[in-house]
Amino acid sequence: MNIISTNPVTNSVIGETNTSSPEDIHQKVENAHSVQEDWTSLGVTGRVDILRDVLRLFKEHLDEIGVLSTQSMGMPSSLRHTLDLDAGIEYFEWYLENALESLKPEISFEDSTSLNTVFYEPTGVAAVISPWNFPFCTFIWQVIPNLVVGNTVVFKHASECILVGKLIEDIFSSSKLPKGVFSEVYGGGEVGDILIHEDIDLISFTGSTTVGKHIASVGAEKLIKVLLELGGSGPGVVFEDADMDKVAEAVFFNRFANSGQICDGLKRLIVHKNIADKVGQILVKMLQSKKVGDPQDISIDIGPLASIKQADGLKEQVDDATSKGAKVLIGGKKPASLSEAFFEPTLLSNLTTDMKVWQEEVFGPVLPIVTFESEEEAINLANDTVYGLGGYLFTEDKDKAERVATKLKTGMISVNGTLYLHPSSPFGGYKKSGLGREHGKYGFHELCQLKVVATEK
Ligand code: NAP
């Protein structure tokens, strides 16, 4: 059976590929095992040398990947370099430049007679499963560090961007990477499910919390390491002294860019009561200046959602809010002039915490706004979620920012829009946003076995 990729704007088929059979999947895992020792024995420097060739090829094919991503999941062509392609390359380069330093042995104990040295060793064969929202970046974030530390990888991309996945495999095949070190399987969740039940040593999963829980249960049964990067409902707290330009820019990039399909995005705006009207007006004006439409048009700021299914789910969340009394400041529905996968950029006020837009992850261009009076109330609202991925604070008072940052139950916090995203900084979440961290030495170490060797002096 074939798996089909459709363009969310036109709903037309853009390509297809064969679904991997259980036998294919099994074979790829076996191949990954058979080359794992050789891949490990190259050492960090040997692996990095080969991966430099892979990097060169990805740079050559970057535009092709971008065009396919826009066609498959609707990322605006005006933003795809900033949001996905260039970011992916930046991380890839960082991993290669910093591998040796991050993975060098460390002395954990030393006295006059003995020395304990910690070695970072590969874990083995990693099953890596990605979502569709950043088709290039998430693949880079999950796969390249595994290869750097010496794991071999069997990868499954999301069905929405199966053609990007196919191109990724073709690029690897034309590189100097030994066969079997990276391979790919194709299909929906059922293919991912077969993969994680295979004889693997590690699962690296990025996606929804619902599927993440299932992955964790399979990992628990096998007693293997599971790294989970899951959903989020990032709070953005706007204090009275906030710089409004910084708020508007951060709200666009962290909520509306990529049609709001950003895991660690700013998904609930918590604004001081005295400035709520002003913030609402500024954000309405900002959104009125943005163009919504075909993401292939370079002048478009906001494209469709990745699929009609995503847009329908979003509509259900917004309808639930309005039926319970939320006020629509702008947007609120699917635009009549565009196809079914679009949803108007939307701001909602008059929120109550029983609404789905407050309680669930909202994966689309919709921002609920609530108000607060005291710092304590703002912190309680910010933490009133099962998630804990990104958090955003807006204030010119550095002490206040530091104080509140220590109280937020999130893995990452941005103050006044300053990005926490950097290849050397850990990425990941508290609570139901996941387990473990990606990036930096922290991310490399998550993928390794630690071995201590005690020697006489
Ligand atoms: P999803 O439904 O959980 O799917 C993610 C991946 O898992 C896809 O490749 C999917 O395959 C596969 N999958 C589905 N069921 C599976 C199963 N039973 N066993 C193994 N694999 C299975 O998530 P999504 O809707 O694609 O992505 C959106 C979610 O990802 C959001 O919640 C977002 O916040 C989260 N996300 C988190 C991060 C982070 O770093 N924390 C980054 C990006 C996205 P198919 O697509 O083929 O069904």
Side-chain angles (χ1 to χ4, degrees):
M1 210 181 71
N2 282 0
I3 178 157
I4 289 167
S5 182
T6 52
N7 180 329
V9 177
T10 58
N11 212 16
S12 56
V13 174
I14 51 174
E16 58 186 84
T17 187
N18 287 335
T19 301
S20 303
S21 66
E23 295 75 30
D24 290 338
I25 300 166
H26 181 70
Q27 190 59 55
K28 286 185 174 168
V29 172
E30 284 218 325
N31 294 346
H33 275 294
S34 68
V35 295
Q36 213 272 313
E37 283 284 335
D38 287 348
W39 183 238
T40 298
S41 67
L42 288 173
V44 179
T45 312
R47 293 193 294 270
V48 165
D49 277 349
I50 291 176
L51 289 168
R52 280 193 207 290
D53 182 57
V54 178
L55 170 64
R56 176 186 63 77
L57 288 168
F58 272 105
K59 283 181 175 170
E60 278 176 27
H61 290 276
L62 210 54
D63 286 334
E64 221 178 311
I65 294 172
V67 169
L68 267 184
S69 299
T70 296
Q71 287 172 353
S72 312
M73 51 66 72
M75 184 178 292
S77 43
S78 58
L79 287 174
R80 67 186 176 217
H81 268 277
T82 314
L83 296 179
D84 196 31
L85 302 172
D86 297 350
I89 292 296
E90 181 196 355
Y91 276 76
F92 200 150
E93 285 173 340
W94 190 94
Y95 300 140
L96 301 191
E97 291 310 318
N98 293 278
L100 205 54
E101 177 63 25
S102 306
L103 294 167
K104 71 176 188 214
E106 286 170 25
I107 294 169
S108 58
F109 173 73
E110 187 175 11
D111 67 9
S112 56
T113 57
S114 67
L115 187 68
N116 287 12
T117 309
V118 177
F119 293 87
Y120 295 101
E121 297 195 339
T123 303
V125 175
V128 177
I129 300 178
S130 290
W132 42 264
N133 57 335
F134 293 95
F136 184 58
C137 233
T138 42
F139 144 73
I140 295 287
W141 284 18
Q142 293 182 265
V143 168
I144 304 303
N146 265 297
L147 296 178
V148 166
V149 304
N151 295 334
T152 51
V153 170
V154 182
F155 175 59
K156 186 194 106 56
H157 217 322
S159 358
E160 273 86 355
C161 48
I162 211 80
L163 300 179
V164 176
K166 196 83 192 67
L167 180 55
I168 287 170
E169 190 178 30
D170 291 346
I171 293 169
F172 270 112
S173 301
S174 62
S175 77
K176 292 181 181 155
L177 194 80
K179 298 282 166 269
V181 170
F182 170 89
S183 62
E184 210 164 320
V185 296
Y186 298 95
E190 67 293 347
V191 165
D193 210 30
I194 295 171
L195 174 60
I196 57 173
H197 282 91
E198 278 288 335
D199 175 24
I200 49 166
D201 304 299
L202 166 80
I203 306 174
S204 164
F205 173 80
T206 301
S208 63
T209 296
T210 308
V211 178
K213 281 184 188 169
H214 168 66
I215 304 267
S217 71
V218 175
E221 197 54 46
K222 297 167 94 84
L223 218 56
I224 59 172
K225 208 170 188 181
V226 175
L227 186 65
L228 299 173
E229 295 292 350
L230 308 176
S233 185
V237 182
V238 185
F239 290 98
E240 258 186 295
D241 65 337
D243 178 326
M244 289 304 143
D245 290 339
K246 292 176 187 168
V247 174
E249 192 183 338
V251 165
F252 174 70
F253 274 101
N254 295 290
R255 172 70 300 196
F256 293 98
N258 206 25
S259 295
Q261 301 163 123
I262 303 175
C263 53
D264 59 322
L266 193 170
K267 296 179 184 161
R268 297 171 298 130
L269 199 66
I270 299 159
V271 183
H272 193 279
K273 189 169 156 261
N274 294 347
I275 54 163
D277 288 345
K278 185 168 131 202
V279 170
Q281 285 157 14
I282 287 169
L283 295 182
V284 166
K285 208 166 148 210
M286 179 273 285
L287 289 176
Q288 282 167 339
S289 73
K290 303 293 179 191
K291 276 177 79 177
V292 181
D294 186 344
Q296 299 195 82
D297 175 347
I298 196 79
S299 69
I300 288 300
D301 303 296
I302 299 172
L305 284 107
S307 63
I308 296 173
K309 192 175 114 205
Q310 290 290 328
D312 288 346
L314 188 63
K315 181 176 180 310
E316 203 182 301
Q317 290 174 315
V318 171
D319 289 348
D320 168 78
T322 51
S323 73
K324 289 175 180 161
K327 187 175 156 203
V328 177
L329 299 182
I330 185 171
K333 58 185 187 321
K334 290 188 176 189
S337 58
L338 294 166
S339 72
E340 281 290 296
F342 283 87
F343 202 89
E344 292 174 348
T346 297
L347 294 173
L348 299 172
S349 66
N350 269 11
L351 259 279
T352 48
T353 52
D354 61 335
M355 295 174 184
K356 288 183 179 175
V357 290
W358 184 265
Q359 292 188 344
E360 299 174 355
E361 177 177 38
V362 177
F363 219 52
V366 172
L367 183 60
I369 305 175
V370 295
T371 60
F372 70 90
E373 289 184 58
S374 68
E375 190 175 301
E376 194 189 351
E377 194 188 353
I379 293 165
N380 288 338
L381 285 165
N383 287 333
D384 183 26
T385 167
V386 295
Y387 297 108
L389 199 52
Y392 301 81
L393 298 175
F394 300 92
T395 173
E396 295 301 303
D397 179 340
K398 287 200 162 109
D399 292 338
K400 187 190 283 185
E402 241 174 67
R403 191 169 63 235
V404 176
T406 62
K407 301 264 173 64
L408 294 195
K409 305 284 183 222
T410 63
M412 301 160 298
I413 293 170
S414 154
V415 179
N416 294 328
T418 313
L419 268 188
Y420 47 66
L421 278 177
H422 189 273
S424 59
S425 300
F427 183 99
Y430 281 36
K431 302 195 270 183
K432 293 195 168 34
S433 288
L435 290 175
R437 295 292 184 270
E438 290 180 322
H439 311 321
K441 62 179 182 188
Y442 320 97
F444 282 136
H445 295 174
E446 295 275 6
L447 305 170
C448 294
Q449 288 284 8
L450 270 64
K451 180 182 282 173
V452 62
V453 178
T455 49
E456 290 174 327
K457 266 189 154 176

